[in-house]
Amino acid sequence: MSEEKENIQFELTPGLVNQVENLIESRNDKALHLLLDDFHYADIAEILDELNLDKAVYIIKLLDSDTTSDILTELDEDIREKVLKRLSAKEIAEEIEELDTDDAADIIAELPESRQEEVISKIEDQDHKAEIKELLAYDEDTAGGLMAKELVKVYDTWTVAGCLRRIRGQAEEVTRVHSVYVVNKQDKLVGRLSLKDLIVAKNEQKIADIYISNVDSVNVNEDAEDVAKIMSKYDLEAIPVVDDNQTLLGRITIDDIVDVLKEEADKDYQLAAGITQDVDSDDSIIELTRARLPWLFLGLVGGIGAFLIMEGFHNVFEKYAVLFFFTPLIAAMAGNVGVQSSAIIVQGLANDDVKGSVNSRLIKEMLLAALNGFILALFLFFFVWITKGSPTTALAISASLVIVIIVAGLIGTFVPLFLNKQGIDPAIATGPFITTSNDIFGILIYFWIAKMILGI
Amino acid sequence: MSEEKENIQFELTPGLVNQVENLIESRNDKALHLLLDDFHYADIAEILDELNLDKAVYIIKLLDSDTTSDILTELDEDIREKVLKRLSAKEIAEEIEELDTDDAADIIAELPESRQEEVISKIEDQDHKAEIKELLAYDEDTAGGLMAKELVKVYDTWTVAGCLRRIRGQAEEVTRVHSVYVVNKQDKLVGRLSLKDLIVAKNEQKIADIYISNVDSVNVNEDAEDVAKIMSKYDLEAIPVVDDNQTLLGRITIDDIVDVLKEEADKDYQLAAGITQDVDSDDSIIELTRARLPWLFLGLVGGIGAFLIMEGFHNVFEKYAVLFFFTPLIAAMAGNVGVQSSAIIVQGLANDDVKGSVNSRLIKEMLLAALNGFILALFLFFFVWITKGSPTTALAISASLVIVIIVAGLIGTFVPLFLNKQGIDPAIATGPFITTSNDIFGILIYFWIAKMILGI
């Protein structure tokens, strides 16, 4: 492994954290600078996540604001909130000055409302201040909430040489230049050019003659998830954002989209596991309880439902106790099949590849569930027959299993499709929601069919 | 909605698919060109995914290979396989000529081994052929499997002017230039420059004086997921790939990483739902069964285990039938808690933010489970007391619920941590695996504790 690690060397070891802690305690600022100045800000943020608040704030106040502003953007959200509480409005404004507008607006948006105005008023660069204020007005789940104002813009009337000369100034403020956006006199987006195109072009050519007019863009009100889908579908590394009049407002870069995709995937995964809020393993027990308890409570209610159903069938017990012993199996199979079906639909919806009508989906799922159910029921049939010696009981239990699996598959398919049609996130339909409802339906169907076959 | 959609206009409507089908049937190639030439290749791929094989192949043969090669990379994998079967080795080689080396190697790697050699032998561009062959030698889950050979490379001895002139040639073959990589005489990576840096620099400056020597790179054998983590942690849009001697071999771009992250998230989500193979909702019933049945079978075995436990306690039934009616509730809660705990750990491990010792994790989970369990048990206690009139039964059931939840939480926490330590993907520990084992443990503990409290 050591040879594979040589290129990206950083590793967060307890020894390193310890070393930093000791240097802070002995107020050895020189050694801290020597140690930390070579690290990437994302690595320093990882170290800070491990320190106590006093020490983290010490480092933030020690290092230069061009580094610490980046560190702040990478810190764990909970820790950032605490660190910012310990900084004055002036100090936060100094960090904000160093950041691109999108990161700056994100950090300000996290502050309590009362502090937001105060911090903004302390920003000295008036252009930066105005741009940040503009960004704060957009919903964070839209293109406007993702975009940065930093971009390189040229007019279609310029020449390549003039353009190169003039974008030098703009480019210095823009960390990464993906594309040069071409606008007309009214600042409307008309096309784009890559820096490569500019370098390859001849100096005297007009921008109007060389730009690519077929430029993708998104409206400032577009949903953030849709922007992510567009950018990953078309393999775009940046996309310009325009208003309804096609006026160029900003640009979104792929690194922000990577974050959107990760958050979305994490959220869906947690919903499937019955965790409602965005929590991670290091959150407090209270936060974790708040995210987990509601779904567990749903499971409790479902379990009470199953209890009531079984109690309703209790007079069957004397003769067919064995039926009751198989209820956990029936409930488990109903739950598992439901989760499988719903997960495939939820994922298909997220990737936009659920095609065809709801009916054809349901028919397919029915066939699939029938096939799976039949294979499983065959095993169960022989198991019950051999251990219990009664082919009728074996038939009753295994036949109901097939029906339960089919119904579970249909519910698992239908519910997310239905929620999606209603404009509700179908991801909530996986996990506890589907297992609980399938437990109840499964057990009800099971007893009902078993009774019928056994003629009780 | 219409105003939000104006910028990215493409929408895959049945009408559009129909129109394409009709034009193919009437062999109206001119109209097909007129219709399709304006679409992005990713959009044409979506249309092709909807056509039958004959029609899809017709379009591939109709359009120019610079478009169709890109369409091929975007097609659904199953459909691409079928389309490639219908193309001759020569035709595939012509598509390959148009593609970047990484996409070319990916497509060739999907072909049956017998055809791979044949297709490669038909590639006319000898450099392209050699590069593709080199890439095919790397494992697809490594940096080598992700990288492309296309990059812009300059020697540290060049001047800015000479450099600009000479990279013009290289840049024409490279679709997107993120960085210019600086190498020394031995072709070892020594630094990088952005095009922006080159544009901003003065013509007579030496590359050696202006390049950034602090360049991130990954070893060609680095795991693909680790590359994805590095690039998203450091917000990199491209990263150079080197061998053990630091020789520059290729580069990986962020769009490939977006794909790796999405595949990884999809795989984990499916594992959590009990789906083992990479399937999507449009796969055949046989493929879906193969992905789903193994986990269902595991559930069946678990259910039989629960049956055997309950049968072992059957002599308790006459007096305490109510215990049996609560087994689905117990099993459901054990399963839900287990899935929640394991999901948080699996996600934490994936994001590298599970810190601290296994013991401290287990203690935290125990406290969390105890808190959740106590709240839920309180409800259950009153429910059973009120409906059944027996506080002892109510106590027996609700006290066992607390213990079951704690044990379920501990199993859900321990198993993924253990698997991860053993080098096994912890994602398999969520979903059916944990629900099944927790069903069995839960029911066993439940009867055992209830018996103890009831003094049976």
Side-chain angles (χ1 to χ4, degrees):
Chain A
M1 289 298 284
S2 70
E3 58 170 300
E4 290 183 17
K5 288 284 170 200
E6 71 182 345
N7 302 298
I8 299 282
Q9 311 96 324
F10 182 78
E11 210 185 332
L12 185 68
T13 59
L16 175 63
V17 174
N18 227 313
Q19 189 185 356
V20 173
E21 282 172 336
N22 290 337
L23 291 174
I24 296 172
E25 270 161 25
S26 59
R27 296 287 180 266
N28 193 339
D29 293 352
K30 213 169 172 183
L32 278 170
H33 267 297
L34 266 177
L35 177 66
L36 296 176
D37 284 353
D38 276 345
F39 285 141
H40 190 279
Y41 58 80
D43 296 327
I44 303 179
E46 279 191 3
I47 298 173
L48 261 56
D49 283 341
E50 298 300 298
L51 299 179
N52 71 28
L53 184 58
D54 282 336
K55 295 204 169 73
V57 171
Y58 187 88
I59 298 287
I60 293 288
K61 294 197 176 189
L62 174 72
L63 301 180
D64 298 332
S65 60
D66 62 333
T67 309
T68 55
S69 57
D70 287 327
I71 295 173
L72 280 175
T73 65
E74 296 289 331
L75 276 186
D76 184 274
E77 207 177 315
D78 303 337
I79 294 171
R80 178 165 59 235
E81 192 191 324
K82 286 181 199 148
V83 169
L84 290 176
K85 262 194 198 148
R86 299 278 290 270
L87 299 183
S88 70
K90 178 86 193 124
E91 283 168 327
I92 298 176
E94 279 165 14
E95 304 285 358
I96 294 295
E97 303 264 7
E98 300 288 341
L99 290 173
D100 279 354
T101 48
D102 55 341
D103 292 328
D106 288 345
I107 287 196
I108 291 180
E110 282 178 24
L111 295 173
E113 284 207 18
S114 54
R115 280 202 99 186
Q116 293 188 5
E117 266 310 308
E118 203 191 339
V119 169
I120 292 170
S121 70
K122 298 261 164 37
I123 300 173
E124 284 173 7
D125 180 334
Q126 293 305 314
D127 290 344
H128 201 51
K129 186 197 282 193
E131 287 177 344
I132 292 169
K133 278 172 103 166
E134 180 195 332
L135 290 184
L136 282 170
Y138 300 112
D139 184 330
E140 63 167 331
D141 294 326
T142 64
L146 287 177
M147 72 181 186
K149 298 296 292 178
E150 287 81 4
L151 51 79
V152 177
K153 186 170 84 171
V154 298
Y155 287 89
D156 56 356
T157 49
W158 292 358
T159 60
V160 168
C163 183
L164 279 172
R165 201 176 337 112
R166 292 168 87 161
I167 66 172
R168 273 176 195 143
Q170 294 182 40
E172 272 175 13
E173 309 181 347
V174 183
T175 323
R176 277 175 222 171
V177 181
H178 293 85
S179 276
V180 174
Y181 298 117
V182 182
V183 293
N184 64 15
K185 256 182 275 178
Q186 291 81 43
D187 265 324
K188 292 194 184 184
L189 179 70
V190 295
R192 70 179 172 84
L193 272 175
S194 66
L195 283 193
K196 193 187 92 181
D197 298 326
L198 271 180
I199 290 181
V200 174
K202 292 194 183 68
N203 273 338
E204 61 278 12
Q205 280 184 290
K206 282 262 187 205
I207 296 298
D209 297 330
I210 59 166
Y211 77 72
I212 302 149
S213 61
N214 197 354
V215 58
D216 291 313
S217 64
V218 289
N219 186 282
V220 69
N221 297 314
E222 186 84 61
D223 187 72
E225 277 179 47
D226 290 335
V227 177
K229 272 186 201 166
I230 290 165
M231 290 185 71
S232 64
K233 176 177 168 185
Y234 297 116
D235 281 347
L236 304 174
E237 291 174 348
I239 196 165
V241 180
V242 296
D243 66 11
D244 294 344
N245 299 318
Q246 203 67 12
T247 310
L248 181 62
L249 296 180
R251 64 148 189 185
I252 296 171
T253 49
I254 187 77
D255 52 317
D256 298 315
I257 293 307
V258 169
D259 295 340
V260 169
L261 290 172
K262 275 169 85 175
E263 275 168 31
E264 190 55 23
D266 280 0
K267 199 196 76 194
D268 284 357
Y269 190 77
Q270 295 200 341
L271 276 177
I275 302 167
T276 24
Q277 284 162 31
D278 182 27
V279 288
D280 60 53
S281 55
D282 282 317
D283 282 339
S284 75
I285 288 182
I286 298 297
E287 281 172 293
L288 285 164
T289 297
R290 216 180 293 146
R292 289 168 60 164
L293 196 58
W295 289 112
L296 294 179
F297 198 75
L298 180 69
L300 190 78
V301 171
I304 288 175
F307 158 78
L308 293 173
I309 293 167
M310 286 169 79
E311 215 189 19
F313 285 94
H314 78 275
N315 54 343
V316 186
F317 190 87
E318 266 166 54
K319 217 170 150 193
Y320 296 105
V322 63
L323 282 190
F324 287 80
F325 303 157
F326 278 110
T327 46
L329 184 148
I330 296 293
M333 301 310 285
N336 287 352
V337 170
V339 168
Q340 287 181 336
S341 313
S342 58
I344 290 229
I345 295 292
V346 167
Q347 206 161 58
L349 288 170
N351 296 335
D352 272 339
D353 59 49
V354 174
K355 290 149 197 161
S357 69
V358 172
N359 283 342
S360 67
R361 280 283 133 199
L362 291 176
I363 290 168
K364 183 176 179 185
E365 179 62 33
M366 204 171 78
L367 293 173
L368 177 63
L371 177 63
N372 284 333
F374 181 76
I375 297 169
L376 295 164
L378 209 64
F379 278 92
L380 189 62
F381 176 80
F382 286 109
F383 175 79
V384 180
W385 189 12
I386 290 162
T387 57
K388 297 275 110 189
S390 158
T392 326
T393 312
L395 179 71
I397 294 172
S398 46
S400 356
L401 179 66
V402 178
I403 307 295
V404 165
I405 286 180
I406 291 175
V407 173
L410 292 178
I411 295 175
T413 306
F414 179 76
V415 172
L417 286 174
F418 174 79
L419 290 180
N420 191 55
K421 264 232 158 99
Q422 300 298 311
I424 301 169
D425 183 354
I428 65 156
T430 47
F433 181 85
I434 223 78
T435 48
T436 303
S437 56
N438 279 2
D439 275 10
I440 299 180
F441 281 113
I443 290 175
L444 189 63
I445 293 166
Y446 164 70
F447 275 103
W448 189 64
I449 293 179
K451 255 185 88 168
M452 225 164 56
I453 293 179
L454 294 170
I456 328 176
Chain B
M1 289 300 283
S2 70
E3 57 170 301
E4 289 185 17
K5 288 286 170 199
E6 71 182 346
N7 302 298
I8 300 282
Q9 312 95 326
F10 183 78
E11 209 185 330
L12 185 69
T13 59
L16 175 62
V17 175
N18 226 312
Q19 189 185 355
V20 173
E21 283 173 336
N22 290 336
L23 291 174
I24 295 173
E25 270 160 27
S26 59
R27 297 285 181 268
N28 193 340
D29 294 352
K30 213 170 173 183
L32 278 169
H33 268 296
L34 266 176
L35 177 68
L36 297 176
D37 284 353
D38 277 346
F39 285 141
H40 190 279
Y41 57 81
D43 296 328
I44 303 178
E46 279 192 3
I47 299 174
L48 261 57
D49 283 341
E50 298 300 299
L51 299 179
N52 70 29
L53 184 58
D54 282 336
K55 295 203 169 75
V57 172
Y58 187 88
I59 298 286
I60 293 288
K61 295 199 174 186
L62 174 72
L63 301 180
D64 298 333
S65 61
D66 62 333
T67 310
T68 55
S69 57
D70 287 328
I71 295 173
L72 281 175
T73 65
E74 296 289 330
L75 277 186
D76 183 273
E77 206 178 315
D78 303 337
I79 294 172
R80 177 166 58 236
E81 191 190 325
K82 286 180 198 148
V83 169
L84 290 176
K85 263 195 198 147
R86 299 278 291 270
L87 299 182
S88 69
K90 177 87 193 124
E91 284 167 325
I92 298 176
E94 278 164 14
E95 305 285 356
I96 294 295
E97 304 263 8
E98 301 288 340
L99 289 173
D100 279 354
T101 46
D102 54 343
D103 293 328
D106 288 345
I107 286 196
I108 291 179
E110 282 178 25
L111 295 173
E113 284 208 17
S114 55
R115 279 202 99 186
Q116 293 188 6
E117 266 309 310
E118 203 191 339
V119 169
I120 292 171
S121 71
K122 297 262 164 34
I123 300 172
E124 284 174 7
D125 180 335
Q126 294 306 314
D127 290 344
H128 202 51
K129 187 196 279 190
E131 287 177 345
I132 291 170
K133 278 172 104 166
E134 180 195 333
L135 290 184
L136 282 170
Y138 299 112
D139 184 331
E140 62 168 331
D141 294 325
T142 64
L146 286 177
M147 74 180 183
K149 298 295 292 179
E150 286 82 4
L151 51 78
V152 178
K153 185 171 86 171
V154 298
Y155 287 89
D156 56 356
T157 49
W158 293 356
T159 62
V160 168
C163 183
L164 277 173
R165 202 176 336 112
R166 293 168 87 159
I167 67 172
R168 273 179 194 140
Q170 294 183 40
E172 271 175 15
E173 308 180 348
V174 183
T175 323
R176 277 175 223 171
V177 182
H178 293 85
S179 277
V180 174
Y181 298 116
V182 183
V183 293
N184 64 15
K185 254 183 273 178
Q186 290 82 42
D187 266 323
K188 292 194 185 184
L189 178 71
V190 295
R192 70 179 172 84
L193 271 175
S194 67
L195 284 193
K196 193 186 91 180
D197 297 327
L198 271 180
I199 291 180
V200 174
K202 291 196 183 69
N203 274 337
E204 60 278 12
Q205 280 185 289
K206 281 262 188 204
I207 297 298
D209 296 329
I210 60 167
Y211 77 74
I212 303 148
S213 62
N214 195 353
V215 57
D216 290 313
S217 63
V218 288
N219 185 283
V220 69
N221 297 315
E222 185 84 61
D223 186 73
E225 277 180 48
D226 290 335
V227 177
K229 272 186 200 166
I230 290 165
M231 290 185 71
S232 64
K233 176 177 169 187
Y234 297 116
D235 281 346
L236 303 175
E237 291 174 347
I239 197 164
V241 180
V242 295
D243 66 10
D244 294 344
N245 299 318
Q246 203 68 12
T247 310
L248 181 62
L249 296 179
R251 64 148 188 185
I252 296 171
T253 50
I254 186 78
D255 52 317
D256 298 316
I257 292 307
V258 169
D259 296 339
V260 170
L261 290 171
K262 275 169 84 175
E263 275 168 32
E264 191 54 25
D266 281 359
K267 199 195 75 193
D268 284 358
Y269 190 77
Q270 294 200 341
L271 277 177
I275 302 167
T276 22
Q277 284 163 30
D278 182 27
V279 287
D280 60 54
S281 54
D282 282 317
D283 282 339
S284 74
I285 289 181
I286 299 296
E287 281 171 293
L288 285 165
T289 297
R290 216 179 294 145
R292 290 168 57 164
L293 197 58
W295 289 113
L296 294 179
F297 198 76
L298 179 70
L300 190 79
V301 171
I304 287 175
F307 158 79
L308 293 172
I309 294 167
M310 285 168 80
E311 214 188 20
F313 285 94
H314 77 276
N315 54 343
V316 185
F317 189 85
E318 266 167 55
K319 217 171 152 194
Y320 295 106
V322 64
L323 282 190
F324 287 80
F325 303 157
F326 277 110
T327 46
L329 184 146
I330 296 293
M333 300 311 285
N336 287 352
V337 169
V339 168
Q340 288 181 335
S341 314
S342 58
I344 291 230
I345 294 292
V346 167
Q347 207 162 58
L349 289 170
N351 296 336
D352 273 340
D353 59 44
V354 174
K355 291 149 196 160
S357 70
V358 172
N359 282 343
S360 66
R361 280 283 135 199
L362 291 176
I363 289 168
K364 182 174 179 186
E365 179 60 34
M366 205 171 77
L367 293 173
L368 177 64
L371 176 63
N372 284 334
F374 182 75
I375 297 171
L376 295 163
L378 209 64
F379 278 92
L380 191 62
F381 176 80
F382 286 110
F383 175 79
V384 180
W385 188 13
I386 290 163
T387 57
K388 298 274 111 189
S390 157
T392 326
T393 311
L395 180 70
I397 294 172
S398 45
S400 357
L401 179 66
V402 178
I403 306 296
V404 165
I405 286 180
I406 292 175
V407 173
L410 292 178
I411 295 176
T413 306
F414 179 75
V415 173
L417 287 174
F418 173 79
L419 290 180
N420 190 55
K421 261 223 161 110
Q422 300 298 312
I424 301 169
D425 183 355
I428 65 156
T430 48
F433 181 85
I434 222 79
T435 48
T436 303
S437 56
N438 278 2
D439 275 9
I440 299 180
F441 282 113
I443 291 174
L444 188 64
I445 293 166
Y446 165 69
F447 275 102
W448 189 65
I449 293 180
K451 257 185 86 167
M452 226 163 56
I453 293 180
L454 295 170
I456 328 177

